[in-house]
Amino acid sequence: MSKLGNIGARLYRGEVGYDFIGKRKIWYGISILITITAIVGLAVRGLNMGIEFSGGAVFTTPSTSVSASEAQHQAESAAGGHQAVVQKLGDGALRIQISGLDTKQAVPVQEELAKDLSIPVKDVNTQLVGPSWGEQIANKAWLGLGIFMVLVVIYLAIAFEWRMALAALIALIHDLTITVGVYALVGFEVTPGTVIGLLTILGYSLYDTVVVFDSLKEASKDITKQTRFTYSEIANRSINSTLVRSINTTVVALLPVAGLLFVGGGVLGAGMLNDISLALFVGLAAGAYSSIFIATPLVADFKNAEPEMKALAKRVKAKRAAAAAKGASQEEPQDAVPGGTDADDEADAAVVGQRRQPSTRPRGRGRSSGKRR
């Protein structure tokens, strides 16, 4: 078995682990800091909306030796100061987007571009996009996002419970905020491809969250009938048991997306690939983070506020204190978590030790049967 597979098996069995729940305040702080940075970037820089949303014209030229920066300067000069976005395509062609142009303005700009780039006018392809079409796309995107969120909350509330549904909703909003903030800071254009990418990452983020929630649901069944573990400790075991699976699925999903972003978008200059792949790359990473460090710790906080879980934590603490006073009685399970717990702040140690293994020592000889030589 590989080293990673061996670690995964030990995590699943509870022999090793990391206290994610106990250090949840650190993860909350990191998430708040990243979210604030994203919101500030969004407020200061704003989103660079593509012409699909703002309206304008797209000019596509055949292969040319003119650089993208030079073409951008010539396009803005021809458009009378309108901002232009120029992309060098893989075959050497140029894709020039100029926002705010109407039909009357597009024709002279097309002629001026053909003259500056030394290209026949008929070879410059022009596509006009009205702002009303972009507004319809934006409204449909918001509608789709709202419907998705409502259905997610309803499904999780039925399949699990409302606390898990609320935690998953917070994690999804967390992922969306970070992704949109990165778009604002990087300055990539927001296009329909961006919307597709945003809607796609919600499914990936929800998948990782549901995997952990399903494990937690099974492990916490009839939890109040035992006094070995608190809810936070069981939640921590659920995260650790699915940790390697979450990492593997995230890495496998990120590799092809990274290829699209850095090779397809960066090397080949494919604009639409940039729009989709950046949203997918950031969203997948944020979704994996939120599933482990945000969603499940939030569920533990919600559950620990219940009177039943507070009473359970007190019973667990009392039992461990009594066992410690008796000098670790043999009746105390070896895989119980050592250390005391605070009813409001969970157990200090949530890493489960190795379970007791059956003794392999050969039995000693009993008394002589009585026959003498």
Side-chain angles (χ1 to χ4, degrees), residues 46-219:
L47 290 174
N48 182 18
M49 305 301 292
I51 64 170
E52 291 88 354
F53 296 102
S54 61
V58 180
F59 302 95
T60 305
T61 71
S63 178
T64 177
S65 59
V66 179
S67 64
S69 58
E70 184 179 355
Q72 180 179 2
H73 175 73
Q74 294 174 349
E76 291 178 349
S77 177
H82 288 274
Q83 185 178 5
V85 178
V86 180
Q87 294 176 328
K88 192 82 170 181
L89 304 181
D91 57 354
L94 293 174
R95 186 174 186 268
I96 305 171
Q97 303 180 38
I98 303 178
S99 301
L101 292 182
D102 54 23
T103 306
K104 294 181 179 180
Q105 295 173 317
V107 175
V109 170
Q110 178 188 13
E111 296 175 350
E112 188 67 22
L113 281 174
K115 179 180 178 182
D116 294 338
L117 299 176
S118 301
I119 299 173
V121 177
K122 62 181 181 62
D123 292 339
V124 179
N125 183 32
T126 304
Q127 181 182 2
L128 294 175
V129 180
S132 59
W133 184 83
E135 184 178 356
Q136 293 177 3
I137 293 296
N139 292 336
K140 290 181 180 179
W142 283 112
L143 179 61
L145 180 62
I147 294 175
F148 177 84
M149 292 290 192
V150 171
L151 292 178
V152 164
V153 171
I154 294 175
Y155 169 76
L156 292 179
I158 295 174
F160 299 100
E161 59 174 301
W162 69 266
R163 297 168 188 83
M164 291 184 176
L166 179 58
L169 180 62
I170 294 174
L172 289 177
I173 295 175
H174 166 273
D175 300 341
L176 283 176
T177 304
I178 292 178
T179 306
V180 173
V182 169
Y183 256 87
L185 293 173
V186 174
F188 275 27
E189 276 194 328
V190 178
T191 66
T194 305
V195 177
I196 295 172
L198 288 175
L199 294 177
T200 304
I201 64 173
L202 296 179
Y204 279 103
S205 175
L206 188 62
Y207 170 78
D208 283 339
T209 303
V210 168
V211 168
V212 181
F213 283 179
D214 185 66
S215 175
L216 178 56
K217 178 183 177 181
E218 290 296 324

